[in-house]
C-alpha cells in the first residue's frame, strides 16, 4: 500500500441540510460546497473544507437501496462512517489489498471527487471502513 494523503472523513447524516447548519454555525466552517447526488453510490454528498486539512464528506441516503440506511439504523443521529486515503494508482492498490487478503468491496468506480475509488471492509481494517481513492490528476 502506497499511503497517500488523508483526503476526507465520511460522516453519515440523516439530513445534509441540518449537518451543513451544524458545520457552519457550530464548527465555523466557511467553505461548504454545493451538495450533489451520487446515484451510483446511493448517496447525496456535501463536502466541507477544513483549513489546509482533509475535507468532511457529509453523506445522506439517496433512494431506498442506499447503503447508508443500515448505518443510520444503528446510528440514528449519524456519525463517522469512513476514512478516505489517496493512492497514486487505484488498480495497483486494489491488487495489493487483495494480495494481503483484505476484503475489497466491489470494483473500482467513480467516486464523489470524480476519480476511481473502492472500499475495504472494516473487519480487515482495524474496524474502519476505508475508502481508497486515486489522487486527482494535477494534485
Ligand atoms: Co468518501
Amino acid at each position: 500500500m502506497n499511503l497517500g494523503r488523508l483526503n476526507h472523513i465520511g460522516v453519515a447524516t440523516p439530513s445534509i441540510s441540518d449537518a451543513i447548519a451544524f458545520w457552519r454555525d457550530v464548527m465555523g466552517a466557511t467553505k461548504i460546497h454545493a451538495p450533489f447526488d451520487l446515484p451510483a453510490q446511493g448517496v447525496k454528498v456535501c463536502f466541507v473544507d477544513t483549513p489546509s486539512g482533509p475535507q468532511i464528506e457529509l453523506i445522506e441516503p439517496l433512494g431506498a437501496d442506499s447503503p447508508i440506511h443500515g448505518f443510520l439504523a444503528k446510528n440514528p443521529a449519524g456519525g463517522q462512517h469512513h476514512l478516505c486515503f489517496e493512492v497514486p494508482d487505484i488498480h495497483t492498490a486494489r491488487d495489493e489489498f487483495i494480495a494481503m487478503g483484505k476484503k475489497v468491496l466491489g470494483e473500482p468506480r467513480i467516486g464523489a471527487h470524480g476519480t476511481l475509488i473502492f472500499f475495504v471492509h472494516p473487519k480487515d481494517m482495524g474496524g474502519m471502513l476505508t475508502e481508497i481513492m486515486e489522487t486527482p490528476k494535477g494534485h
Side-chain angles (χ1 to χ4, degrees):
M1 167 71 182
N2 192 343
L3 180 63
R5 180 175 174 271
L6 174 60
N7 181 278
H8 64 262
I9 297 164
V11 175
T13 174
S15 165
I16 276 189
S17 57
D18 288 354
I20 286 172
F22 168 80
W23 282 92
R24 184 189 58 223
D25 301 338
V26 177
M27 298 299 283
T30 55
K31 178 124 196 224
I32 299 173
H33 299 257
F36 60 97
D37 292 351
L38 207 56
Q41 313 276 356
V43 292
K44 180 174 183 175
V45 171
C46 175
F47 283 105
V48 177
D49 288 2
T50 69
S52 69
Q55 291 175 305
I56 303 299
E57 179 189 42
L58 302 172
I59 317 160
E60 182 187 289
L62 180 71
D65 298 332
S66 174
I68 305 303
H69 287 305
F71 183 90
L72 289 177
K74 290 184 206 134
N75 307 276
Q80 186 179 320
H81 182 261
H82 66 272
L83 299 179
C84 176
F85 294 97
E86 295 182 13
V87 294
D89 184 281
I90 197 80
H91 293 99
T92 300
R94 178 179 175 279
D95 291 349
E96 287 171 350
F97 276 108
I98 290 172
M100 289 186 284
K102 305 299 184 190
K103 183 170 180 174
V104 169
L105 304 171
E107 292 297 312
R109 54 203 178 274
I110 295 293
H113 282 293
T115 69
L116 289 167
I117 64 103
F118 62 84
F119 284 89
V120 190
H121 196 286
K123 76 179 172 65
D124 292 336
M125 300 298 286
M128 299 177 297
L129 177 62
T130 304
E131 180 180 3
I132 303 297
M133 162 187 164
E134 192 160 279
T135 301
K137 302 297 176 222
H139 283 228

